[in-house]
Amino acid sequence: MHWLTSHAIVLPALMFTALFTGVVLPAVWSSRAARRRAAAAVLSQILMALRRRR
């Protein structure tokens, strides 16, 4: 049971970290406009998908 609880915390934390570093940071801090636009588009699609789930 302890194994399941620890993985229930670690897995979402890893997924958030991967999403943040792979999508959010490039959308904000990239010096290339094309990269910023692409990352912002991906972020927009992710947020729209999350809104539809509700």
Side-chain angles (χ1 to χ4, degrees):
M1 192 66 154
H2 177 66
W3 177 83
L4 182 61
T5 305
S6 65
H7 279 83
I9 295 169
V10 171
L11 186 60
L14 287 174
M15 289 173 53
F16 173 78
T17 303
L19 176 71
F20 189 77
T21 58
V23 176
V24 176
L25 290 180
V28 175
W29 281 311
S30 179
S31 61
R32 296 182 183 175
R35 186 177 291 166
R36 284 193 311 266
R37 280 192 303 272
V42 170
L43 183 59
S44 176
Q45 290 175 354
I46 291 169
L47 292 175
M48 283 193 316
L50 289 175
R51 286 183 193 140
R52 283 189 219 140
R53 288 179 118 188
R54 291 182 172 186

